[in-house]
Amino acid sequence: MKHTPLVEKLIQSFTCLPGVGPRSAQRMAYALLERGRDDGRGLAAALNAAMDGVKQCRRCRNYAEQELCPVCQDPRRDPGLVCIVASPADVLAVEQSAEYRGHYFVLMGELSPLDGVGPRELGLDVLEARLNEGQIQELILATGTTVEGEATAHYVLDLAREAGVSVTRIAQGVPMGGDLEFVDGATLAQALRGRRPFSS
Ligand SMILES: [Zn+2]
């Protein structure tokens, strides 16, 4: 049996979501049609509102609903400190640590020339301009440790050096409460290289 055109279109639409294959998409579509018509209308309205209303912050490229995101608008944050992250989800992760009171710059990806992601796609020209404004004292690199993450980190390092801004990188290594025997070799090697003096 084939789906009717509207149902088919609905199922197809759900498959654009990460991790959703045809079977899950069909289950979602049926669930909404069978007993969630109001939820479905709410979902459609929320999707429309977000797709039209969520923009990127002019200063840090994180998601924002005004010109500037809440972090860039907050006068209590330290503008001399900027943490470079790959995605808005990484901003949330750092915010949840409640340790950080600086600003961010969100790349929305990592350098990957083969996929057509170059410095411009990551807004690195915007970052360069910000570095040259002279307000930033320290860049904290919190990009990933994949090949793309490393390439991105080195590109940013060069930009910062040219602007005379110091660069630090978040420590990588053994997770809290983690057992050493389950940590992979590359992570452990990184943790050893990043070791610090130990005191009580
Ligand atoms: Zn911002």
Side-chain angles (χ1 to χ4, degrees):
M1 189 198 86
K2 275 191 156 176
H3 300 295
T4 53
L6 287 176
V7 176
E8 181 62 34
K9 176 102 180 112
L10 181 60
I11 293 171
Q12 271 299 321
S13 301
F14 278 122
T15 61
C16 76
L17 295 169
V20 176
R23 287 188 74 85
S24 320
Q26 181 178 304
R27 205 175 317 127
M28 290 176 183
Y30 280 0
L32 289 177
L33 289 168
E34 280 163 25
R35 50 185 187 278
R37 299 268 169 145
D38 283 344
D39 288 342
R41 288 187 191 97
L43 177 64
L47 275 172
N48 265 325
M51 294 308 110
D52 290 339
V54 179
K55 304 183 271 265
Q56 274 180 269
C57 172
R58 187 164 48 79
R59 234 175 134 60
C60 74
R61 290 170 45 97
N62 198 3
Y63 292 134
E65 295 174 29
Q66 297 168 336
E67 280 275 285
L68 294 176
C69 73
V71 170
C72 287
Q73 283 185 44
D74 187 346
R76 290 163 304 176
R77 313 269 320 200
D78 178 0
L81 205 54
V82 173
C83 182
I84 311 283
V85 293
S87 74
D90 295 339
V91 171
L92 276 185
V94 176
E95 285 294 288
Q96 272 160 14
S97 75
E99 284 277 321
Y100 185 65
R101 298 305 299 160
H103 284 246
Y104 293 92
F105 190 82
V106 187
L107 301 168
M108 298 281 181
E110 287 173 333
L111 282 179
S112 182
L114 291 179
D115 302 313
V117 183
R120 188 163 281 276
E121 283 70 33
L122 300 183
L124 289 168
D125 49 335
V126 179
L127 179 66
E128 190 174 8
R130 264 184 82 177
L131 284 166
N132 288 324
E133 282 172 11
Q135 197 177 30
I136 301 175
Q137 255 123 55
E138 179 184 345
L139 275 192
I140 302 170
L141 283 168
T143 49
T145 51
T146 57
V147 175
E148 292 82 9
E150 290 294 329
T152 310
H154 282 98
Y155 193 99
V156 172
L157 181 64
D158 286 345
L159 287 183
R161 277 193 179 139
E162 272 171 36
V165 173
S166 75
V167 178
T168 55
R169 189 167 198 189
I170 57 166
Q172 324 273 338
V174 183
M176 292 293 283
D179 250 323
L180 221 55
E181 61 176 309
F182 300 120
V183 176
D184 68 276
T187 303
L188 200 49
Q190 179 79 262
L192 275 168
R193 280 197 296 273
R195 68 189 185 278
R196 289 180 306 170
F198 181 62
S199 55
S200 55

